[in-house]
Amino acid sequence: MADARKKQLAFNIIDFLRTSQRDGTVKEDESESLDIAIEVISSAFGVDLESADDVAQYSIKPASLLSLLDVLAKTKSKATSTGAGAGAAPAAPAASGPTEEDKTKADALKTKGNGLMSQKEYNQAIQQYTEAIKLNPNPVYYSNRAAAYGALNQHDKAVEDAARAIDLDPQFAKGYSRLGHAQFSLGEFQKAIDAYEAGLKLDPANNNMKSSLATAKLRLGEQAPATERSASPSAPAAGGGMPDLSSLASMLGGAGGGAGGAGGMPDLSEMMRNPQMMAMAQQMMANGGLERLMSNPNIRQMAENMQSGGGMPDFNQLASDPALREMAQQFMGGQGGAGGR
């Protein structure tokens, strides 16, 4: 059985042969011979280019055998030209990195991932960003993948990717925004505050981060026991009650009826003639709820998805969001209106 170093060499030889087939280095009528060679090498050394474990253990990307060969040739040439004089320090190998071809392919994968994000195909978008990262570990690609993980509520992974983006480029303000959003979604409000504040030092005019920071500070202050919040004199005494969020979903075009049909764009003029909707809107404006609602990172992300072509959100899903229910209770009073919980 071949040792790990030989397996790694065999794995990357196979990767080089596969790349040569894809980029046109090898003519199509000769490609079949390479397939046979790939199969023989793979079997002899016990490696598989499609195995995630083998990729993690043996792949040298974003470098390649060709880039390493270039480094060796340059090092050898420099050593020859300087001679072998006494006390001469050996030439340091040049830093390897993605080629221009790798960067072009990675950017195309990123663009495809962005398109899949707008279609809410988040798992497929993650695959595209992952392939782009293999070719060119770029902070933007990690940031975009963090957004995709966040859309799937995989916020731990989003934190990892956002942190990686910041490691690669500490001046990348968007990375701090992604990190803050992921930590906010995990309920780690102090960490979210720290991330937003770091991002605002780099981008002081970023209003989205300012709003998110304010919301995170608000949520941190609301982590007192529920009994203390219910006894707070700041809660409105009027019997506005908790609105029926399921009914609101229907009014806004969610599944089960309402203006616009299932998932469609609501008829705003019809909504504003609805007495319940008007009462809710008046209460929210009177209590400052509308401003706070629009500063919530989850609402902002929903708006960004809509602007990028993602379509109308699932209002039934919004209605089941505990954070939004809590906001509604605070804005309109927790007296237990119809459907309130």
Side-chain angles (χ1 to χ4, degrees):
M1 179 65 71
D3 63 27
R5 291 180 62 197
K6 292 178 180 179
K7 281 190 172 186
Q8 186 173 31
L9 178 59
F11 181 94
N12 287 284
I13 288 173
I14 293 172
D15 184 58
F16 165 74
L17 296 177
R18 286 272 175 86
T19 301
S20 299
Q21 287 177 313
R22 291 195 296 265
D23 64 15
T25 301
V26 179
K27 296 180 181 178
E28 188 174 352
D29 56 355
E30 296 173 345
S31 182
E32 185 175 350
S33 299
L34 283 189
D35 286 334
I36 296 173
I38 289 170
E39 185 176 348
V40 170
I41 296 172
S42 178
S43 176
F45 287 86
V47 293
D48 182 6
L49 212 63
E50 305 301 323
S51 167
D53 289 339
D54 284 5
V55 170
Q57 188 172 0
Y58 302 127
S59 176
I60 61 174
K61 287 183 177 179
S64 66
L65 289 182
L66 282 179
S67 66
L68 294 181
L69 185 60
D70 288 341
V71 172
L72 177 62
K74 291 176 182 178
T75 303
K76 185 176 180 180
S77 175
K78 187 172 182 180
T80 302
S81 64
T82 56
S96 61
T99 64
E100 288 304 316
E101 181 182 3
D102 288 338
K103 292 179 181 179
T104 300
K105 289 180 179 179
D107 200 54
L109 289 165
K110 183 262 293 184
T111 300
K112 186 175 180 181
N114 291 350
L116 290 165
M117 283 288 289
S118 68
Q119 298 170 29
K120 300 184 181 180
E121 298 290 346
Y122 303 122
N123 282 309
Q124 295 181 38
I126 288 170
Q127 293 175 5
Q128 299 302 312
Y129 295 139
T130 300
E131 292 302 313
I133 288 169
K134 289 179 182 178
L135 291 170
N136 180 21
N138 184 306
V140 173
Y141 305 159
Y142 278 105
S143 173
N144 288 8
R145 193 170 70 174
Y149 278 131
L152 292 172
N153 293 321
Q154 296 180 25
H155 302 298
D156 287 327
K157 292 182 177 180
V159 166
E160 292 176 6
D161 272 0
R164 181 58 178 151
I166 294 169
D167 287 341
L168 288 170
D169 183 2
Q171 303 302 310
F172 183 47
K174 188 68 173 180
Y176 294 96
S177 177
R178 296 288 192 212
L179 180 61
H181 176 76
Q183 290 169 329
F184 181 95
S185 300
L186 289 170
E188 298 175 345
F189 303 125
Q190 184 57 61
K191 290 182 179 180
I193 290 169
D194 294 341
Y196 288 135
E197 288 180 339
L200 284 168
K201 288 180 181 178
L202 299 170
D203 186 8
N206 191 313
N207 290 326
N208 285 338
M209 268 199 285
K210 288 180 182 178
S211 297
S212 299
L213 174 61
T215 303
K217 288 182 175 180
L218 183 65
R219 293 302 302 273
L220 181 65
E222 290 172 352
Q223 286 185 324
T227 53
E228 293 181 17
R229 291 199 303 269
S230 63
S232 172
S234 62
M242 174 64 188
D244 183 349
L245 293 178
S246 297
S247 299
L248 176 59
S250 297
M251 285 189 284
L252 293 178
M265 182 66 186
D267 183 342
L268 295 179
S269 62
E270 184 66 24
M271 285 168 51
M272 297 315 295
R273 287 197 293 269
N274 185 296
Q276 182 183 1
M277 179 61 70
M278 287 296 294
M280 289 170 59
Q282 290 169 355
Q283 286 176 320
M284 288 186 71
M285 287 187 288
N287 295 325
L290 187 58
E291 294 176 4
R292 288 176 57 191
L293 180 66
M294 296 311 296
S295 70
N296 184 281
N298 293 319
I299 296 295
R300 192 182 68 253
Q301 183 179 32
M302 176 191 76
E304 289 175 351
N305 287 340
M306 292 174 63
Q307 290 175 346
S308 62
M312 286 295 292
D314 182 345
F315 284 97
N316 283 326
Q317 183 178 355
L318 288 179
S320 65
D321 188 323
L324 295 182
R325 286 205 307 271
E326 184 178 351
M327 286 180 68
Q329 287 172 332
Q330 293 164 354
F331 295 151
M332 300 175 203
Q335 305 301 318
R341 291 187 291 173

